[in-house]
Amino acid sequence: MCGIVGYVGPKKASEVIIKGLKRLEYRGYDSAGIATINGSLSVKKGKGKVAKLESLLSSGVEGGIGIGHTRWATHGEPNDINSHPHLSDDGKIAVVHNGIIENYNTLKKNLSDRGYSFYSETDTEVVAKLIESFLEEKPEDLKRAVRLSLAQINGTYGLAIVHEDFPDQIMVARKGSPLLLGIGEGEMLIASDASAVAEYTDKVVYLDDGELAIIRKDGYEVHSSQDEALTKEVHELAMSLDEIEKGGFPHFMLKEIFEQPKAISDCLRGRINPAKGTITLGGIESVLDQLANARRIIIAACGTSWHSGLVGEYLFESLAELPVEVEYASEFRYRAPLIGEGDVMIVISQSGETADTLAALREAKQKGALVLGVVNVVGSSIARETDAGVYIHAGPEIGVASTKAFTAQVTVLTLMAIKLAQHRGTIEDKKAAELIRELDQIPGKIEHVLKNASGIEHISNLFTYAPNFLYLGRSYGFPVALEGALKLKEISYIHAEGYPAAEMKHGPIALIDDMMPVVVIAATDHTNDKMVSNIEEVKARKGRIIAITVEGNKEVENLAEFVTEVPETIDELTPLLTVIPLQLLSYYIAVNRGCNVDQPRNLAKSVTVE
Ligand code: F6R
């Protein structure tokens, strides 16, 4: 949420920053801005996307140092004035910020009483004025001014600061919002996300909460909140440029949908041995006993990751016979949750930075539970704060609507459930071996589903202007119904609801008439008869049935108006196949409606505010 990038070195900073902001635009895109120093501080900013900012810079901005920002508004509507960077009264300090300053009203009042003036509705502007106020006491010490300012701030921040009188340095500080330093040859970068620096360096330092860093073109220093100098580990970034570019696809979302066979193969690589029927998950090996003896497992996540958590619940309960609760991370923390020693929390997050998920993790940890992560972004806050975990290795996901992360999360949860079941002795060797062999086949089966993309496009064309959609599923089809509905609403702005198929009779059935598309996920064997009855009920009320079912399911095919088949698989693995047509359905409908698929309105990838 909000992208930050900064550069100091021999290149034209504005060019590096614009490129970086374009890569970060998926984190927020309602306005953008840049501050550079070339003798004096110069700021360009405004409502709109980074391309618009770029056009403002067409005359060229000189200077080898600067910071930039792409915004997802929290305080103050997206407009030119509220765009970042924000400035001090004397116009010498520029600040970009990701996060929320919770006590900004109090700080603003104090500063106003002392004669500082404010021009925006943002919380960020107080940071520039606060630093300015402390600098007045000791103008030569910018670090002191920043440190004292940070001490007054409640809330979360990733901050980057430049000052005209300190033209060789960028200061950054982190509390609750990700920031990293990119170490180049004779140049340094800072960014909220590694994709913005990957083109220039593969050496990064991740800042931790409470840390403040200063970068100059020839080096960096990191300090704790107590101002002690810290030696930080330098990490190697494993990110290729291909992974963060569209590679011939019109949208990142479509690219990522089509990348799923590879994402799942990457996720399985080195972890399964289909011949022996074994699974290796190095990341949780050391805590396997504790996990296997857990009193209960609590899965906490948000959005799509919460949906994969629901699949996880079904898998853990049926295979490993362990009680599982799936929690919205945002609710968990504010409900005095009963959790403690003996419990295990699994947090699921693509970005590894979702503020609510991070807060749930901290709450569980503080109460004594073992906390495991299922995370995509290596080195992210959640990955670093969990006790152990399993990366999903899906590669960078840039489309705001999550697709390949969902299937890779479900893959990891399946591996964990089987591994745990083997460890607990709750699964027969034959069944485990069968599941592992079938998992190995899943990438190929997804390829097969993707080959029928044009069939799904055809269905999408017929329903592009439907005002509502209903998605129904049972068992493993239910989380998929929720995920299908979420995908549709977030990128096409069509109202859509996902329901357990039987729950339909308790209310939603009243919505069904000959105008209502009803997507039924009918691919699990053990619920087929019941699902067929539910489809009959929809048909009796003239609902327009779009069925996702397995090849050869004639019963369902005869009832549905439109059918998309997926290859047959074991019930537990059906979500990995049935979700694919739903991702494509929402994609094509959104494109037909002229929506910005990769950057849907009001949304941002990585929700780093609570
Ligand atoms: C939906 C979507 C969101 C995320 C949610 C959690 O397509 O992308 O619902 O799933 O914001 O994000 P992570 O997984 O990064 O914690």
Side-chain angles (χ1 to χ4, degrees):
M1 205 156 255
C2 297
I4 292 177
V5 60
Y7 174 82
V8 52
K11 301 191 175 86
K12 211 169 177 178
S14 61
E15 286 175 6
V16 178
I17 292 167
I18 289 291
K19 243 185 189 178
L21 289 180
K22 284 185 177 165
R23 298 220 190 273
L24 296 184
E25 210 166 13
Y26 68 103
R27 296 182 71 102
Y29 32 79
D30 56 45
S31 45
I34 182 168
T36 49
I37 304 175
N38 185 29
S40 61
L41 183 75
S42 127
V43 171
K44 296 269 191 238
K45 62 179 191 170
K47 182 176 173 182
K49 304 240 156 108
V50 176
K52 190 166 163 218
L53 173 68
E54 193 175 14
S55 69
L56 296 178
L57 304 178
S58 57
S59 51
V61 181
E62 296 302 326
I65 182 165
I67 53 177
H69 188 261
T70 171
R71 179 171 188 242
W72 185 89
T74 59
H75 291 62
E77 65 170 293
N79 61 26
D80 291 352
I81 292 173
N82 290 333
S83 310
H84 297 211
H86 285 288
L87 296 174
S88 53
D89 265 2
D90 64 7
K92 288 186 170 191
I93 305 171
V95 173
V96 295
H97 168 221
N98 176 15
I100 294 180
I101 313 283
E102 284 162 4
N103 58 337
Y104 83 101
N105 266 326
T106 316
L107 294 171
K108 193 167 175 175
K109 175 152 189 337
N110 291 345
L111 288 160
S112 302
D113 291 348
R114 291 168 57 195
Y116 290 93
S117 55
F118 286 83
Y119 56 81
S120 77
E121 301 160 299
T122 68
D123 50 342
T124 305
E125 196 187 341
V126 296
V127 182
K129 312 279 153 83
L130 253 186
I131 297 171
E132 183 175 24
S133 73
F134 285 114
L135 259 184
E136 275 170 19
E137 298 163 9
K138 218 172 174 196
E140 71 286 4
D141 197 345
L142 180 61
K143 177 152 74 78
R144 170 187 177 272
V146 171
R147 212 164 35 77
L148 293 175
S149 303
L150 297 179
Q152 299 224 341
I153 291 172
N154 297 336
T156 55
Y157 50 78
L159 283 167
I161 303 144
V162 285
H163 192 302
E164 186 179 295
D165 296 343
F166 301 81
D168 66 335
Q169 59 178 251
I170 301 174
M171 217 164 265
V172 288
R174 171 196 163 134
K175 187 178 158 209
S177 287
L179 270 182
L180 55 86
L181 317 182
I183 307 167
E185 297 282 331
E187 60 186 2
M188 287 286 302
L189 297 105
I190 56 106
S192 49
D193 184 322
S195 58
V197 306
E199 192 167 338
Y200 306 98
T201 179
D202 59 359
K203 290 193 183 56
V204 295
V205 167
Y206 297 103
L207 289 190
D208 286 303
D209 278 354
E211 290 176 354
L212 185 156
I214 302 169
I215 63 161
R216 299 185 177 83
K217 67 175 188 299
D218 49 6
Y220 65 95
E221 45 191 274
V222 182
H223 301 268
S224 70
S225 52
Q226 263 64 53
D227 205 23
E228 301 140 338
L230 302 172
T231 307
K232 299 281 293 179
E233 187 181 348
V234 177
H235 293 261
E236 188 106 355
L237 205 59
M239 186 182 279
S240 75
L241 283 184
D242 289 356
E243 287 181 314
I244 50 177
E245 282 168 1
K246 284 191 199 142
F249 284 89
H251 297 99
F252 279 110
M253 182 179 176
L254 192 63
K255 176 184 178 231
E256 288 158 7
I257 290 173
F258 274 82
E259 268 173 1
Q260 287 176 106
K262 178 177 180 302
I264 292 177
S265 297
D266 290 348
C267 178
L268 293 174
R269 185 163 306 115
R271 290 174 168 166
I272 55 168
N273 185 332
K276 290 193 179 149
T278 54
I279 290 174
T280 310
L281 293 173
I284 55 164
E285 214 65 56
S286 61
V287 293
L288 202 55
D289 280 339
Q290 215 177 329
L291 178 58
N293 293 312
R295 191 166 53 185
R296 91 200 140 129
I297 294 176
I298 294 170
I299 297 180
C302 303
T304 288
S305 299
W306 187 83
H307 296 154
S308 71
L310 275 186
V311 180
E313 176 181 32
Y314 291 23
L315 290 165
F316 280 96
E317 290 191 346
S318 80
L319 300 177
E321 297 177 14
L322 270 166
V324 180
E325 285 162 32
V326 188
E327 299 273 0
Y328 284 113
S330 54
E331 284 298 309
F332 177 78
R333 182 166 165 228
Y334 293 103
R335 267 205 346 238
L338 298 176
I339 184 169
E341 261 176 63
D343 294 324
V344 175
M345 174 177 273
I346 300 177
V347 286
I348 307 174
S349 176
Q350 186 286 127
S351 62
E353 300 294 348
T354 300
D356 285 318
T357 311
L358 200 51
L361 172 175
R362 288 177 180 156
E363 178 89 14
K365 224 173 156 178
Q366 194 243 325
K367 292 196 156 147
L370 172 74
V371 184
L372 309 181
V374 174
V375 173
N376 192 28
V377 178
V378 176
S380 56
S381 304
I382 292 177
R384 286 182 297 142
E385 289 198 28
T386 40
D387 297 307
V390 184
Y391 280 118
I392 64 170
H393 293 315
E397 190 179 66
I398 294 175
V400 164
S402 189
T403 51
K404 64 176 179 172
F406 175 80
T407 41
Q409 287 165 348
V410 170
T411 304
V412 162
L413 291 165
T414 310
L415 292 174
M416 287 174 79
I418 302 169
K419 177 89 188 163
L420 208 50
Q422 289 176 318
H423 200 75
R424 284 169 56 82
T426 54
I427 191 169
E428 285 175 15
D429 290 348
K430 187 165 161 273
K431 166 92 178 174
E434 197 192 345
L435 276 165
I436 292 166
R437 271 199 307 276
E438 184 60 17
L439 261 178
D440 198 33
Q441 300 301 311
I442 289 292
K445 292 191 174 181
I446 295 180
E447 293 275 10
H448 186 84
V449 179
L450 290 170
K451 284 206 179 100
N452 182 33
S454 59
I456 298 154
E457 189 173 5
H458 170 71
I459 301 174
S460 310
N461 294 342
L462 301 174
F463 289 98
T464 295
Y465 295 103
N468 297 290
F469 263 77
L470 208 53
Y471 288 72
L472 303 176
R474 273 176 181 267
S475 174
Y476 290 99
F478 166 53
V480 175
L482 293 179
E483 176 59 7
L486 177 63
K487 285 291 89 88
L488 187 69
K489 61 189 144 195
E490 69 182 323
I491 61 168
S492 70
Y493 320 139
I494 294 175
H495 173 243
E497 302 253 18
Y499 267 94
E503 191 63 21
M504 170 186 70
K505 288 197 282 293
H506 301 280
I509 199 165
L511 294 168
I512 297 176
D513 60 17
D514 59 1
M515 299 291 285
M516 176 67 93
V518 183
V519 181
V520 295
I521 296 98
T524 43
D525 222 20
H526 72 291
T527 54
N528 191 57
D529 293 349
K530 293 278 186 298
M531 199 63 211
V532 166
S533 308
N534 296 140
I535 299 172
E536 292 271 18
E537 289 154 9
V538 174
K539 195 175 166 86
R541 285 150 188 92
K542 299 194 165 44
R544 313 279 310 269
I545 300 163
I546 303 165
I548 316 296
T549 190
V550 283
E551 282 164 1
N553 187 336
K554 291 285 169 236
E555 250 179 318
V556 171
E557 284 175 14
N558 291 338
L559 286 171
E561 188 177 350
F562 303 94
V563 178
T564 290
E565 290 181 332
V566 299
E568 208 172 337
T569 188
I570 303 173
D571 278 5
E572 284 87 345
L573 307 186
T574 50
L576 294 168
L577 302 181
T578 51
V579 77
I580 312 285
L582 304 189
Q583 296 168 343
L584 288 166
L585 184 75
S586 59
Y587 172 79
Y588 290 122
I589 288 180
V591 170
N592 286 345
R593 289 166 70 98
C595 299
N596 187 337
V597 171
D598 282 336
Q599 295 169 350
R601 71 180 179 209
N602 303 339
L603 287 172
K605 194 96 181 150
S606 190
V607 183
T608 54
V609 292
E610 285 181 52

